[in-house]
Structure formats: C-alpha cells, structure tokens
C-alpha cells in the first residue's frame, strides 16, 4: 500500500472510531474536538494522516460520514410503557398541586369563613385599596430578590456547597431587606410631599407591604429546603391564626391579618435558615472558600433580579390598570388608585383554574 493509501485508511479508521464513540457527530467542529481529545496534534495530522492540520482532518472525517462511508449504529430508544408514563405524570402533577395548595386553601377559607391570610371579604374599599397597594408592591419589589436568592442558592446546592449556599442566601436576604425598607421609606416621603393617599391608608399599605415582602423572601428560603409540603403547613397555620383571632377574639381584619403574616414571617425564617445552617454546619466548607463580595454577587444575580421584578410587574399589570381606570366602573376614583371589588372577585374565581393547571406546568417543566 502506498503512503497515501495508508494515510487514507488511517483517516477512515480514526473516523470510524469517533463515530462509534459519539454515534451521530453534529458537525466538523465536534469531530475536531474528538480528534484533539485523542491527543492528535497538527504535526500528527500532517505526518500520520496527510492533512494540513487537525481541522482539515476533521473536515475529511466529516465528509466520509456525510457520504455514508462510515458505519453508524444508533441504539434503539426504549419503549416507554403507558403505566410508567402515567405514574410519572401523576407524581409531577402532585408536586405541582402541592405548590398551589396554599392558594387553594386561601380560596376555600375565603368561601367558608370570609377571611384570607391578607384580606377579608367584608373589607370596605378604602381598606381594601390600601391592602391591594401593599400586596402589589410587595410582589414587584421582592420578586426580583426572590428570583436572585433562589437562583444563587440552588446554584450552590446543586454543587453540594452548603456553606456557600447558606452564606450567599444570607447576604442576598439582607440586601433584599434593606431594599424593601428603602422602598417603603421612599414611598412615605413621596406621599408626604405629594399627598397621594391619606395617612391611614398609607400606613396600612406600608405595613402589608413590609410584612408580605418578608413573607415572600422567607418562603424563598424555605423553598431551598426542598420540602414543598412545608408551605401547606405554614399557610394553614397562619390562616388558622387569622380566622381564630377574627372570629373568636373579635379582632378586626387588619390586625388579624398582620398577626398571621408576622407569625409566618418568623416561623419561615427560622425554619428556612435553620435548615440551611444545619446543612452547612454538618458538611462544612468542602475547601477553603470565601463567600463572594457584594459587588460580585450583585453582578452575578442582576439578570435574575430584573427578570423577577419584570415578571411580577407584568403579572399584576392588569390589576394596576383596573385600579387606576374609571372605564366600565360603577363608582368613581377618589384617589389615583382605587380597588375594584367586582374585578377582584373575578380574579379570585380565575385562580381556581391556576390551581388545577399548576400540576400540568410542573409536569411539563420536569419533562
């Protein structure tokens, strides 16, 4: 065999080895990577294979593969049984329903007792408007921090760096708490200058905003504990306290709501950070590590913060339009924002569909 024929056979042999390894090479770049993995250099490509360099060698192998000169064998895809598919779907659906059960519990409590964790059906529109403002602002402001907190916490959890998970989540939580308080102080100053709302409404909105913001952040920490049933227990406990104080102790709705939310804040924070601290202490740092500086941390999670804030702003944009527009309403707007009870009733009914669909969303995401 001539030198040229020997080199062509070497190219074919190497190509067959690579195809046997990757089954279906996507392009010549993947083949070039496989060539380099085998320790073949440019000088080897010239002397052993008669090619200009590694990439020329990869292109020749790719051409052989495209022409069908190399044997390919793709393993058959296993047939998935209907029973296995159904059981997998039911498992994912149950996980999704667990995430939406707190919402379902609140809807049931509203129908049965007239109270939710942050409201009541008999509230006057003035108080309902103040609560709605605090509720909306808490989601928009804390939503970005929650996304950043969960993203970074899971980033370290998946690497089994529990020490970094605990310290980083604590850093982000403190930043979020500072940002939350900064927003409420700024809002109160703006209200002082421009007199947008009466101070009783501004005070209620501020209290609900701070307590609910801490609740969403603490729930994010609990989520990192990866115990989804905990949310059902926590919401049930807080809601039970609200109903007990309102119906048995004759508290008005606002103090009863705030008592239930503050109880959830405290328990969720203790539980969430307690689990993360226990994991970090049990395992300890896997190597000599230093938690990231604040500037580096902010840069790393900025995109997720913007996504979370934008997502919740978009999610509640329809309510904001409904609260600030007089079109199609039978009342008038005494203030720039005024809650629409009929619209809220429709939204509450629509949440029933959300509860049922959460299982399908979880299944689709997992698959």
């Amino acid at each position: 065999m001539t030198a040229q024929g020997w080199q062509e056979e070497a190219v074919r042999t190497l190509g067959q080895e690579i195809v046997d390894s990757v089954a279906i090479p996507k392009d010549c770049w993947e083949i070039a990577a496989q060539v380099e993995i085998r320790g073949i250099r440019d000088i080897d490509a010239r002397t052993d294979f008669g090619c200009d360099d590694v990439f020329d060698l990869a292109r020749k192998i790719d051409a052989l593969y495209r022409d069908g000169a190399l044997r390919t064998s793709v393993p058959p895809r296993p047939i998935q049984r209907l029973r296995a598919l159904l059981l997998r779907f039911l498992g994912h659906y149950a996980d999704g329903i667990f995430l939406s059960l707190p919402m379902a519990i609140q809807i049931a409590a509203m129908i049965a007792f007239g109270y939710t964790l942050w409201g009541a059906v008999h509230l006057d529109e003035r108080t309902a408007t103040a609560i709605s403002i605090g509720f909306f602002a808490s989601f928009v402001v804390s939503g970005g921090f929650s996304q950043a907190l969960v993203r970074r916490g899971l980033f370290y959890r998946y690497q089994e760096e529990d020490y970094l998970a605990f310290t980083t989540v604590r850093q982000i939580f403190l930043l979020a708490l500072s940002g939350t308080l900064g927003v409420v102080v700024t809002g109160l100053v703006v209200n002082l200058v421009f007199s947008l709302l009466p101070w009783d409404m501004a005070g209620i909105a501020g209290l609900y905003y701070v307590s609910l913001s801490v609740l969403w952040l603490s729930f994010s920490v609990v989520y990192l504990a990866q115990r989804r049933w905990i949310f059902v227990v926590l919401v049930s406990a807080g809601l039970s306290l609200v109903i007990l104080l309102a119906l048995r102790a004759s508290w008005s709705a606002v103090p009863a709501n705030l008592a239930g939310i503050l109880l959830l804040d405290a328990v969720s924070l203790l539980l969430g950070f307690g689990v993360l601290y226990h994991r970090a202490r049990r395992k300890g740092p896997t190597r000599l590590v230093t938690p990231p500086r604040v500037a580096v941390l902010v840069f790393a999670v900025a995109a997720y913060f913007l996504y979370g804030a934008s997502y919740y702003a978009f999610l509640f944009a329809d309510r904001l339009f409904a609260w600030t527009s007089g079109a199609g309403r039978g009342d008038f707007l005494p203030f720039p924002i005024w809650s629409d009870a009929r619209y809220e009733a429709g939204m509450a009914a629509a949440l029933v569909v959300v509860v049922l669909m959460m299982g399908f969303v979880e299944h689709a995401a997992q698959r």
Side-chain angles (χ1 to χ4, degrees):
M1 181 182 295
T2 64
Q4 182 179 359
W6 180 82
Q7 290 173 337
E8 290 177 355
E9 184 61 27
V11 172
R12 186 186 299 273
T13 302
L14 177 63
Q16 187 62 58
E17 180 184 339
I18 291 174
V19 170
D20 291 341
S21 174
V22 301
I24 303 177
K26 297 177 178 58
D27 50 34
C28 62
W29 302 110
E30 182 180 6
I31 295 175
Q34 291 294 325
V35 170
E36 291 181 330
I37 286 174
R38 286 159 174 78
I40 298 174
R41 304 163 297 173
D42 287 341
I43 188 172
D44 301 320
R46 287 192 293 270
T47 57
D48 297 341
F49 300 94
C51 301
D52 296 334
D53 51 27
V54 166
F55 299 102
D56 184 37
L57 174 58
R59 284 190 290 269
K60 288 187 177 181
I61 294 175
D62 186 54
L64 289 173
Y65 171 74
R66 303 298 171 188
D67 292 339
L70 302 177
R71 301 185 309 274
T72 58
S73 58
V74 180
R77 185 176 181 179
I79 299 175
Q80 295 182 322
R81 301 295 180 184
L82 179 61
R83 181 181 179 183
L85 292 174
L86 181 60
L87 291 176
R88 182 186 297 126
F89 166 76
L90 292 176
H92 293 160
Y93 190 86
D95 286 341
I97 288 295
F98 257 112
L99 286 177
S100 62
L101 268 183
M103 190 187 307
I105 292 172
Q106 295 233 68
I107 295 173
M110 180 181 65
I111 295 173
F113 302 102
Y115 285 89
T116 65
L117 191 58
W118 48 75
V121 296
H122 62 272
L123 288 174
D124 60 276
E125 290 191 341
R126 184 186 180 95
T127 304
T129 298
I131 294 175
S132 298
I133 294 172
F135 182 81
F136 170 77
S138 70
F139 262 111
V140 174
V141 174
S142 67
F145 289 111
S146 296
Q147 287 287 334
L149 187 149
V150 171
R151 164 64 184 179
R152 208 60 182 174
L154 290 178
F155 174 76
Y156 289 123
R157 283 285 298 121
Y158 290 151
Q159 298 182 62
E160 299 183 356
E161 293 283 1
D162 293 307
Y163 171 75
L164 282 175
F166 170 72
T167 54
T168 304
V169 167
R170 183 179 58 188
Q171 278 184 303
I172 297 177
F173 182 84
L174 293 176
L175 287 174
L177 190 60
S178 301
T180 298
L181 296 177
V183 169
V184 73
V185 170
T186 302
L188 293 176
V189 171
V190 170
N191 192 67
L192 177 64
V193 174
F194 297 101
S195 300
L196 299 176
L197 294 173
W199 280 106
D200 60 328
M201 291 181 63
I204 292 175
L207 288 172
Y208 274 83
Y209 160 73
V210 173
S211 58
L212 286 174
S213 294
V214 175
L215 181 62
W216 311 141
L217 292 170
S218 61
F219 272 8
S220 299
V221 180
V222 172
Y223 180 83
L224 294 175
Q226 298 176 332
R227 299 290 187 272
R228 298 186 177 186
W229 56 268
I230 293 178
F231 292 105
V232 178
V233 175
L234 291 175
V235 172
S236 299
L239 190 55
S240 298
L241 178 63
V242 172
I243 295 172
L244 183 65
L245 293 176
L247 300 183
R248 296 295 182 183
S250 301
W251 285 30
S252 60
V254 172
N257 284 155
L258 291 175
I261 296 172
L262 291 176
L263 172 67
L264 280 187
D265 289 345
V267 175
S268 300
L269 285 176
L270 289 174
L271 181 63
F273 277 110
V275 170
L276 293 180
Y277 176 75
H278 174 70
R279 289 174 176 171
R281 185 177 180 183
R282 180 185 59 190
K283 190 171 183 180
T286 56
R287 57 183 183 274
L288 294 177
V289 293
T290 303
R293 292 177 297 170
V294 174
V296 175
L297 185 61
V298 169
F299 178 79
V301 300
Y304 300 97
F305 173 84
L306 292 176
Y307 164 76
S310 302
Y311 172 79
Y312 285 108
F314 173 76
L315 192 65
F316 287 95
D318 64 320
R319 293 193 179 191
L320 187 61
F321 291 143
W323 296 338
T324 56
S325 172
R329 297 176 58 158
D331 55 3
F332 66 96
L333 276 66
F335 304 107
I337 295 180
W338 193 246
S339 177
D340 187 351
R342 294 177 302 171
Y343 185 84
E344 292 302 308
M347 287 294 297
L351 289 178
V352 176
V353 180
V354 175
V355 171
L356 298 176
M357 290 301 296
M358 282 294 290
F360 292 100
V361 172
E362 178 70 13
H363 173 71
Q366 291 293 341
R367 291 299 292 156

